[in-house]
Amino acid sequence: MFLSRLRMCAPAVKRAVAPASRRFFSRPAVLLGGGAVAGTLAQTYLGSSDKTWFDSRYHTEKSGDDLLEFYQDHALLHVIAILPWAYDLVMGNVTFDDVPEEGWENSTTNKMFGMEVSFTITQEDGEDEDGNEVVMQFNRKELFRNYIPGTKIRIAEQIWHFGFTRQEDGTYEVYHTSTSYWGPFPGKWVITAHQLFVAFLCKLHVNSEEFGNDTDAAEERLHHLPKWIMGMLFGKDKKTSFVQEFIDTVVGKPSNATILAARANLKAAAE
């Protein structure tokens, strides 16, 4: 009998409690408080980090000298900018500081975009099995610091490493790695998406036939990246595996071309 009476009262209790709960959770203070808690948790676990939070790698059989020319020069910056007009706009307003930031070889400032960049380049040479001098290791370490333009209010700061290391088989492992980020977590998501695409384009460019063989064609491509991308998607240079290779880059899986090349090398070595 008690249970039957309880079931009879349940609808009345629900009608009495529901409006009160809706009024409580619709109050601005409750909404703001809940948003503040959610934002704080997201920033704590998804925002600033002093540990490696981005690491994308690929392998190539290209020479260390060609990789060196690409990663230490402005060629890499063309890929980071992606859009030619963006590269011209940013680099056209960059000035080198007379005195670099402490601990860095060079520092630049872009007042228009409120950006400071410091970088240090390290290189280690050695000899291959035939006694020829080769690049064993290269690293381009960069500090990016962003401010609200016209002020000194910092909004983001990140440290990146772009480089490569020679492997025992004579190939190179190339890496794009970030070891530190300070700033809002939504900005980190945007940077992650952008840098994944940058790493993907670098992998395609470096492993292309033109890289290291046809300097003019490779240079032309870097100055017209959107055209190259559209060509791989829809044009005469369409790559049926374009989307799949990008997904492989995101998840850190070697591309089909890399796998086939590795299999060919193993087969040749066995013969």
Side-chain angles (χ1 to χ4, degrees):
M1 179 162 306
F2 173 76
L3 292 177
S4 61
R5 290 182 176 178
L6 186 60
R7 282 194 292 268
M8 292 175 61
C9 294
V13 173
K14 184 178 180 180
R15 287 194 297 270
V17 172
S21 62
R22 283 196 296 269
R23 287 195 299 271
F24 175 79
F25 286 108
S26 63
R27 290 177 179 176
V30 175
L31 294 175
L32 290 174
V37 171
T40 300
L41 291 173
Q43 181 63 27
T44 301
Y45 293 100
L46 304 175
S48 300
S49 173
D50 58 358
K51 299 179 181 179
T52 299
W53 61 276
F54 183 99
D55 187 57
S56 181
R57 297 170 182 262
Y58 66 91
H59 289 79
T60 182
E61 296 182 355
K62 301 294 183 174
S63 74
D65 290 336
D66 291 332
L67 288 172
L68 185 65
E69 183 177 355
F70 175 73
Y71 273 95
Q72 74 174 356
D73 202 4
H74 284 186
L76 174 63
L77 302 182
H78 277 284
V79 182
I80 293 177
I82 299 178
L83 301 173
W85 62 263
Y87 173 86
D88 294 337
L89 186 61
V90 172
M91 296 305 297
N93 290 280
V94 166
T95 58
F96 276 84
D97 299 344
D98 294 332
V99 180
E101 185 168 341
E102 185 177 356
W104 299 86
E105 290 181 354
N106 296 279
S107 295
T108 65
T109 301
N110 187 320
K111 293 183 178 180
M112 174 179 287
F113 293 96
M115 181 170 60
E116 295 177 353
V117 179
S118 297
F119 62 92
T120 297
I121 292 177
T122 56
Q123 177 182 339
E124 178 184 340
D125 296 330
E127 294 184 350
D128 61 13
E129 58 276 5
D130 298 322
N132 300 315
E133 184 175 340
V134 294
V135 181
M136 301 300 294
Q137 189 171 358
F138 171 84
N139 184 59
R140 175 176 180 162
K141 181 180 180 182
E142 300 208 38
L143 167 66
F144 296 90
R145 188 177 290 129
N146 299 92
Y147 300 91
I148 296 176
T151 73
K152 274 297 183 179
I153 301 175
R154 186 179 57 154
I155 55 178
E157 181 175 310
Q158 47 196 306
I159 293 179
W160 285 84
H161 298 261
F162 303 96
F164 52 87
T165 304
R166 194 173 193 271
Q167 306 298 293
E168 293 183 358
D169 61 357
T171 63
Y172 285 91
E173 181 183 57
V174 184
Y175 56 84
H176 294 203
T177 304
S178 181
T179 55
S180 175
Y181 175 82
W182 181 94
F185 70 88
K188 190 176 183 180
W189 295 349
V190 173
I191 293 170
T192 297
H194 171 243
Q195 287 294 342
L196 280 171
F197 195 56
V198 168
F200 172 61
L201 292 179
C202 286
K203 180 175 72 172
L204 291 183
H205 177 66
V206 167
N207 285 322
S208 67
E209 294 183 6
E210 295 81 5
F211 185 85
N213 296 313
D214 190 337
T215 305
D216 292 338
E219 187 74 15
E220 179 73 11
R221 172 192 295 160
L222 292 176
H223 287 83
H224 300 89
L225 280 177
K227 180 180 177 181
W228 178 50
I229 295 169
M230 296 303 291
M232 287 189 291
L233 283 171
F234 309 108
K236 63 179 181 179
D237 299 324
K238 183 177 180 180
K239 289 173 63 68
T240 56
S241 60
F242 184 88
V243 176
Q244 182 59 51
E245 287 191 26
F246 178 64
I247 294 174
D248 292 343
T249 300
V250 172
V251 300
K253 177 183 175 183
S255 66
N256 291 333
T258 302
I259 294 173
L260 292 175
R263 289 175 179 173
N265 291 336
L266 289 174
K267 184 178 180 181
E271 295 175 350

